[in-house]
């Protein structure tokens, strides 16, 4: 036994050395970097003496070296209170300031004569405000990060008028548009065009009621004349798709010869929506030149350095999405350019998450490599498919959910021989001879029934004509993962120790998933083994699981969350993160807001699942989270939604359950599998969170910023087959010597469960915005 323990300890020493190297690499994200000072020591001493300015609120006038001018209240080193800032290009802001940020009520004017007066948040037009363009274009309403979003009305220079909902600066939702000539449209909009159900009324009394698409009638609709006659049919700009019936009014049949295409050619010709005036430069793009003051200025280069670098004299930066980084651009390093660390104080300081570009997502690629002929695991895939087809298709009595204890006996397994030439019970196949083992077949048959898995669909998904796909690299445990072509099932290779843990916990697992329909723990459908013949006698054990990311929605971001910090970050730079990249705890830059009813059920179920795993002495599990951003542009931009927008916030039925839009209901009629469940297809909001950049230790959950995104969220608890065995105890003891014991993954199941719950309940919160 001592020899075995020595072997384990040596193996762990080698593993920890590797992990320590990885840790250094991972910790580079939190490592500060030095910046060469261009000033000599004498200048620094003079600056240090000059930096003893009073921190009392005072009134000041300052002229900056680049010609900018500020007059108003001042605190320490920044505008604070009420003040006016005039840029040399003619732009001007007059209003409230907080520590160098435009916050509260203010007025921004452009050299062209355009003005905005209303609410500001960290240099953004955000809240209620009025924009008057240089040509007379006037918008009054809600704003979110410089864009019209929520309810508002627009008066156009040509006399047109719109009153309704906006999103991303365009008419979106329900609204009314009136032309100067008296024509008007009332109905649904999308991206600035009529889209959905709506009514167009002309000044002459004619009107169209029906469906629209991209600004034109499309689908079912009715055109009525002022004399009472009408035309009902399916509308399309393509005359070949147009069809309908004309109904005259009494004896009047003047429109019998009317061509429906006239509505596209003639009637709508004078119903063009006026474009909104473009903003030449947004207030958030203006830089405060707080460096290089005149002689009377008491803010020094040394104090600016401290502002940027923090107390230790070294800079710490935040990336676009709030993740910590140890690098900056060349512009940021030398203090020049729009994103300069020094030139952007106030508007672009270290804490200025608002100055980040829009959240962007790259095009999604299909995961994995298709296992085709010539692939090293092609024969293994054939063996697996033959075995599954045999196991599921084998005649058996109807599965009952009330199982005897003998069904869970680890010795309850069935071996089947598959010779190449075939046998009485197996078909001939091109692969080499192998043996197939089913573990506890009665239990897994009952689990498939419990999870409502149709046997025929199950076989088609795994054993159909489509090949499996192998993920590009094995997991941390060394296991390989395979996906079915329809993404429904994931197949994972297992070690013998994992199989033993699974079989030991199988009775409790079955009882748990049967008792709680909304359980978040992984759904298992089968446990098998392939034993290859020949000198190697290789055994491959694998389990078949459900894939929680199987959905019509594209997964744009995915996170694996444990609640620990040691090594919990990706090695990829931000530019290389793709939708298939699995990010970790220290990469998490969101807080997820769930509806009250869903949040309550979520909290209950997470506690139940953690109690079950703690009782079974399981640790090292994680919450796998997938996000689908509902509003993305073709270029991959994702913009925040308005707190006041109904289309942004998931609403509820009268009983507090989820309410679906008309589009969602149509999808459900076509595909009932898209129904919302806990952790599956759930509407929610993701709020951008920013970690403090001046912490000595990594901050696990960032501070909420108020920047909200409309999402569909998926989540589940995975990796539940690792118990706290002797190797994990040794790992905990060894790593605890070098690192904070609470920061590592390998801890006692009770502590792990407590830490996991506390972390998850900080990341998932109740949505109180509705």
């Amino acid at each position: 036994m001592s020899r075995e323990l020595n072997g384990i300890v040596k193996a762990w020493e080698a593993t920890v050395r590797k992990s320590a190297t990885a840790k250094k690499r991972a910790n580079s994200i939190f490592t500060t970097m030095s910046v060469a000072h261009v000033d000599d020591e004498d200048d620094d001493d003079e600056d240090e003496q000059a930096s003893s300015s009073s921190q009392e609120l005072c009134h000041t006038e300052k002229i900056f070296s680049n010609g900018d001018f500020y007059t108003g209240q001042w605190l320490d080193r920044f505008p604070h209170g009420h003040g006016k800032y005039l840029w040399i290009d003619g732009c001007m802001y007059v209003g409230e300031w907080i520590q160098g940020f435009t916050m509260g009520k203010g007025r921004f004017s452009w050299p062209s004569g355009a003005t905005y007066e209303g609410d500001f948040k960290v240099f953004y037009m955000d809240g209620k405000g009025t924009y008057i363009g240089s040509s007379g274009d006037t918008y009054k309403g809600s704003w979110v990060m410089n864009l019209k979003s929520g309810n508002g009305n627009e008066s156009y220079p040509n006399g047109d008028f719109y009153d309704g909902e906006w999103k991303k600066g365009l008419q979106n939702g329900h609204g009314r548009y009136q032309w100067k000539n008296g024509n008007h449209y009332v109905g649904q909009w999308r991206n600035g065009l009529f889209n959905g159900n709506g009514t167009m009324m002309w000044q002459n009394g004619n009107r169209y009621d029906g469906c629209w698409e991209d600004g034109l009638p499309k689908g079912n609709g009715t055109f009525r004349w002022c004399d009472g006659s009408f035309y009902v049919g399916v509308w399309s700009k393509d005359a070949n798709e147009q069809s309908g019936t004309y109904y005259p009014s009494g004896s009047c049949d003047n429109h019998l010869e009317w061509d429906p295409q006239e509505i596209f050619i003639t009637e709508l010709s004078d119903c063009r929506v006026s474009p909104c005036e473009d903003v030449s430069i947004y207030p958030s793009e203006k830089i405060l030149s707080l460096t290089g003051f005149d002689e009377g200025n008491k803010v020094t280069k040394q104090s600016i350095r401290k502002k940027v670098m923090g107390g230790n004299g070294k800079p710490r930066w935040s990336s676009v999405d709030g993740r910590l980084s140890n690098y900056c651009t060349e512009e940021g390093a030398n203090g020049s350019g729009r994103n300069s660390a020094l030139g952007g104080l106030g508007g672009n300081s270290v804490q200025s998450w608002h100055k980040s570009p829009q959240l962007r997502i790259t095009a999604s690629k299909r995961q994995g490599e298709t296992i085709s002929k010539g692939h090293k695991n092609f024969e293994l895939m054939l063996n697996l498919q033959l075995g599954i087809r045999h196991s599921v298709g084998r005649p058996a009595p109807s599965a009952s959910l009330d199982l005897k204890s003998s069904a869970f006996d680890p010795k309850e397994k069935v071996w089947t021989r598959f010779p190449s030439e075939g046998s009485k019970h197996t078909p001939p196949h091109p692969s080499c001879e192998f043996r197939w083992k089913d573990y506890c077949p009665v239990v897994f048959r009952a689990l498939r029934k419990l999870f409502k898995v149709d046997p025929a669909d199950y076989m088609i998904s795994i054993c159909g004509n489509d090949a499996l796909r192998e993920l590009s690299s094995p997991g941390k445990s060394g296991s390989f993962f395979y996906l079915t072509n329809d993404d429904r099932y994931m197949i994972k290779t297992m070690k013998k120790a994992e199989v033993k843990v699974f079989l030991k916990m199988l009775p409790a697992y079955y009882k748990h998933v049967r008792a709680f329909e909304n359980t978040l723990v992984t759904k298992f459908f089968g446990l098998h083994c392939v034993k290859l013949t020949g000198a190697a006698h290789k055994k491959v054990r694998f389990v078949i699981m459900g894939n929680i990311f199987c959905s019509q929605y594209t997964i744009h971001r995915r996170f694996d969350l444990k609640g620990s910090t040691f090594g919990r970050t990706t090695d990829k730079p931000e530019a290389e993160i793709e939708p298939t990249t699995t990010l970790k705890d220290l990469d998490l830059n969101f807080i997820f807001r769930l509806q009250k009813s869903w949040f309550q059920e979520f909290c209950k179920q997470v506690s139940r699942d953690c109690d079950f795993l703690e009782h079974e002495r399981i640790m090292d599990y994680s919450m796998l989270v997938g996000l689908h951003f509902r509003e993305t542009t073709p270029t991959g931009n994702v913009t925040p939604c308005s707190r006041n927008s109904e289309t942004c916030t998931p609403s509820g039925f009268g009983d507090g359950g989820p309410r679906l839009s008309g589009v969602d209901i149509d999808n459900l009629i076509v595909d009932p599998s898209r129904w919302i469940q806990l952790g599956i297809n759930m509407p929610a909001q993701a709020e951008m969170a920013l970690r403090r950049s001046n912490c000595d230790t990594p901050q696990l959950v960032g501070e909420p910023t108020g920047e909200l995104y409309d999402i569909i969220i998926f989540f589940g608890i995975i990796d539940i087959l690792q118990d706290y065995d002797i190797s994990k105890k040794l790992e905990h003891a060894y790593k605890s010597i070098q690192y904070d014991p609470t920061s590592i993954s390998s801890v006692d199941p009770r502590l792990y469960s407590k830490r996991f719950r506390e972390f998850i309940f900080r990341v998932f919160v109740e949505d109180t915005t509705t």
Side-chain angles (χ1 to χ4, degrees):
M1 183 63 183
S2 60
R3 182 178 300 177
E4 181 181 354
L5 285 174
N6 286 335
I8 293 174
V9 171
K10 289 181 179 179
W12 267 115
E13 286 178 346
T15 303
V16 172
R17 288 192 199 101
K18 292 180 180 179
S19 67
T21 304
K23 173 68 176 174
K24 289 179 181 179
R25 186 170 60 253
N27 273 353
S28 65
I29 290 184
F30 304 102
T31 303
T32 55
M33 59 179 289
S34 60
V35 176
H37 294 180
V38 295
D39 304 306
D40 58 31
E41 294 296 328
D42 293 336
D43 289 340
D44 287 346
D45 292 339
E46 292 172 2
D47 290 343
E48 186 67 35
Q49 293 173 4
S51 67
S52 58
S53 61
S54 171
Q55 295 192 9
E56 293 181 359
L57 189 66
C58 61
H59 187 278
T60 187
E61 291 187 359
K62 297 184 182 294
I63 300 175
F64 307 123
S65 59
N66 66 348
D68 291 357
F69 171 78
Y70 173 81
T71 178
Q73 292 177 299
W74 190 270
L75 180 65
D76 188 18
R77 295 161 294 186
F78 302 103
H80 186 82
H82 191 277
K84 176 172 70 174
Y85 193 104
L86 178 64
W87 283 267
I88 194 172
D89 62 2
C91 291
M92 181 174 67
Y93 171 82
V94 181
E96 298 174 353
W97 298 77
I98 296 179
Q99 288 292 321
F101 296 94
T102 58
M103 293 280 285
K105 301 291 183 181
R107 185 176 187 271
F108 191 93
S109 58
W110 286 262
S112 63
T115 61
Y116 168 84
E117 188 165 1
D119 295 330
F120 282 84
K121 290 181 183 176
V122 285
F123 284 89
Y124 280 87
M125 299 182 287
D126 197 299
K128 298 289 185 181
T130 300
Y131 175 84
I132 302 177
S134 57
S135 60
D137 192 347
T138 302
Y139 171 83
K140 297 180 180 179
S142 297
W143 299 76
V144 173
M145 296 187 72
N146 292 334
L147 298 178
K148 303 163 190 172
S149 189
N151 291 316
N153 60 73
E154 178 106 10
S155 300
Y156 298 90
N158 63 358
D160 292 354
F161 180 81
Y162 171 82
D163 185 14
E165 294 178 292
W166 298 76
K167 194 169 188 178
K168 300 180 181 178
L170 296 172
Q171 298 92 336
N172 204 100
H174 189 274
R176 180 179 183 272
Y177 192 99
Q178 176 144 356
W179 285 265
K180 182 180 180 181
N181 60 13
N183 298 343
H184 64 275
Y185 168 86
V186 179
Q188 295 296 313
W189 295 71
R190 185 176 181 182
N191 296 331
L193 298 172
F194 318 141
N195 206 96
N197 292 319
T199 298
M200 175 72 77
M201 288 170 279
W202 284 265
Q203 188 182 19
N204 59 15
N206 296 345
R207 65 183 285 167
Y208 169 83
D209 299 89
C211 298
W212 298 77
E213 184 177 293
D214 295 333
L216 298 173
K218 183 67 181 276
N220 295 321
T222 302
F223 188 90
R224 301 176 186 272
W225 285 267
C226 56
D227 60 13
S229 57
F230 60 95
Y231 178 95
V232 179
V234 176
W235 295 77
S236 175
K237 192 173 183 180
D238 185 349
N240 296 325
E241 297 177 359
Q242 177 81 42
S243 63
T245 304
Y246 169 73
Y247 295 89
S249 172
S251 59
C252 178
D253 56 358
N254 296 332
H255 306 292
L256 284 174
E257 303 301 324
W258 181 75
D259 181 1
Q261 291 298 304
E262 286 187 24
I263 192 174
F264 299 98
I265 300 170
T266 305
E267 300 287 347
L268 294 175
S269 60
D270 57 349
C271 296
R272 306 292 182 186
V273 177
S274 298
C276 300
E277 179 178 311
D278 291 331
V279 179
S280 58
I281 184 170
Y282 291 111
S284 59
E285 296 179 289
K286 298 300 294 178
I287 296 174
L288 299 188
S289 181
L290 300 187
T291 58
F293 295 155
D294 61 355
E295 293 298 329
N297 175 36
K298 295 183 179 181
V299 179
T300 64
K301 287 177 276 185
Q302 180 68 17
S303 64
I304 292 172
R305 257 189 227 115
K306 290 184 178 179
K307 171 71 177 176
V308 177
M309 298 178 182
N312 60 1
K314 297 182 180 180
R316 299 176 68 83
W317 312 101
S318 294
S319 67
V320 165
D321 61 359
R323 298 165 61 219
L324 293 179
S325 175
N326 71 324
Y327 65 90
C328 60
T329 61
E330 185 177 351
E331 285 186 336
N334 62 24
S336 62
R338 176 168 290 175
N339 295 325
S340 163
L342 298 181
L345 275 176
N348 307 307
S349 67
V350 176
Q351 299 287 344
S352 298
W353 59 270
H354 57 277
K355 199 63 181 73
S356 304
Q358 288 180 316
L359 177 65
R360 291 181 59 84
I361 55 175
T362 57
S364 180
K365 298 177 182 178
R366 202 170 193 201
Q367 276 188 294
E369 174 191 0
T370 301
I371 305 177
S372 54
K373 195 167 184 178
H375 191 282
K376 63 179 181 179
N377 289 324
F378 180 71
E379 285 196 357
L380 179 62
M381 181 191 73
L382 292 180
N383 298 345
L384 186 153
Q385 291 177 324
L386 286 167
I388 294 292
R389 191 180 292 115
H390 172 75
S391 298
V392 178
R394 183 173 52 218
S398 178
S400 171
L401 297 182
D402 297 318
L403 302 179
K404 297 179 181 179
S405 58
S406 59
F408 297 94
D409 191 334
K411 297 179 180 178
E412 187 68 18
K413 47 198 172 188
V414 178
W415 279 102
T416 304
R417 179 172 165 269
F418 280 79
S420 301
E421 65 277 9
S423 66
K424 183 179 179 180
H425 303 288
T426 62
H429 57 88
S431 181
C432 60
E433 180 178 327
F434 67 94
R435 294 184 70 196
W436 173 264
K437 183 198 293 187
D438 285 318
Y439 294 91
C440 301
V442 176
V443 177
F444 286 103
R445 195 179 305 124
L447 281 172
R448 292 194 291 271
K449 182 179 180 180
L450 182 66
F451 294 139
K452 298 178 177 60
V453 174
D454 181 76
D457 291 341
Y458 184 70
M459 276 201 294
I460 291 172
S461 291
I462 302 175
C463 314
N465 295 328
D466 296 315
L468 302 178
R469 304 197 313 275
E470 182 179 74
L471 298 191
S472 57
S473 60
K476 182 180 177 182
S477 64
S479 299
F480 283 86
F481 292 85
Y482 304 92
L483 280 172
T484 57
N485 189 64
D486 58 7
D487 288 334
R488 276 188 168 187
Y489 304 103
M490 181 172 284
I491 301 168
K492 174 189 176 185
T493 61
M494 300 179 71
K495 296 178 180 178
K496 187 176 181 179
E498 289 179 308
V499 172
K500 287 183 176 180
V501 171
F502 190 18
L503 292 175
K504 181 182 177 183
M505 69 179 288
L506 190 56
Y509 173 82
Y510 182 82
K511 180 180 179 181
H512 180 76
V513 298
R514 188 178 179 187
F516 304 109
E517 182 181 4
N518 284 332
T519 180
L520 299 175
V521 297
T522 307
K523 290 180 171 61
F524 295 109
F525 303 107
L527 182 63
H528 312 281
C529 176
V530 171
K531 182 179 180 181
L532 304 178
T533 58
H537 289 289
K538 181 181 178 181
K539 284 185 180 180
V540 181
R541 303 170 184 86
F542 55 89
V543 65
I544 301 175
M545 310 175 290
N547 178 19
I548 64 173
F549 292 161
C550 177
S551 171
Q552 298 295 323
Y553 296 106
T554 303
I555 303 299
H556 296 137
R557 281 286 187 274
R558 57 190 72 200
F559 297 91
D560 182 273
L561 308 175
K562 292 186 177 183
S564 58
T565 58
F566 179 78
R568 298 298 295 163
T569 185
T570 58
D571 290 334
K572 287 188 175 183
E574 180 66 29
E576 295 181 13
I577 293 177
E578 300 175 345
T580 55
T581 303
T582 301
L583 304 171
K584 298 180 182 179
D585 299 67
L586 293 179
D587 304 311
L588 180 65
N589 53 339
F590 294 107
I591 292 173
F592 307 118
R593 298 189 172 276
L594 307 182
Q595 274 183 274
K596 181 178 180 180
S597 57
W598 283 122
F599 178 70
Q600 292 173 345
E601 178 60 26
F602 170 80
C603 292
K604 292 177 184 176
Q605 195 55 57
V606 169
S607 294
R608 293 165 185 155
D609 292 337
C610 286
D611 287 341
F612 157 67
L613 295 171
E614 180 183 335
H615 183 267
E616 295 301 309
R617 302 288 295 165
I618 302 297
M619 43 76 68
D620 215 21
Y621 46 87
S622 56
M623 179 75 78
L624 185 64
V625 179
L627 307 181
H628 169 82
F629 293 96
R630 301 186 73 169
E631 296 295 335
T632 60
T633 65
T635 58
N637 286 333
V638 186
T639 55
C641 61
S642 169
R643 288 181 179 269
N644 301 321
S645 174
E646 293 181 4
T647 58
C648 168
T649 305
S651 303
F653 287 131
D655 60 359
R659 185 177 73 192
L660 305 179
S661 67
V663 175
D664 290 332
I665 291 174
D666 291 341
N667 288 333
L668 293 177
I669 294 173
V670 176
D671 183 8
S673 66
R674 294 182 65 168
W675 188 257
I676 300 171
Q677 304 171 30
L678 184 66
I680 303 295
N681 294 332
M682 284 183 58
Q685 286 187 326
E687 181 174 5
M688 184 71 79
L690 177 67
R691 290 182 177 83
R692 290 192 299 269
S693 57
N694 56 355
C695 297
D696 295 330
T697 58
Q699 187 182 6
L700 199 54
V701 181
E703 302 295 336
T705 63
E707 185 175 317
L708 299 172
Y709 295 88
D710 194 9
I711 62 169
I712 301 294
I713 192 169
F714 303 78
F715 50 81
I717 298 175
I718 63 169
D719 294 338
I720 65 170
L721 300 179
Q722 178 61 62
D723 66 344
Y724 196 52
D725 59 10
I726 184 63
S727 62
K728 287 295 179 182
K729 291 177 181 178
L730 286 171
E731 177 186 1
H732 174 77
Y734 194 93
K735 288 184 177 179
S736 296
I737 299 172
Q738 296 179 316
Y739 310 102
D740 179 3
T742 61
S743 71
I744 59 180
S745 297
S746 181
V747 295
D748 181 85
R750 285 175 296 180
L751 175 59
Y752 192 94
S753 174
K754 181 176 181 294
R755 185 181 66 186
F756 179 80
R757 279 187 247 202
E758 290 176 350
F759 170 65
I760 291 300
F761 292 152
R762 290 175 62 197
V763 173
F764 287 81
V765 299
E766 181 182 341
D767 184 4
T768 58
T769 61
T770 54

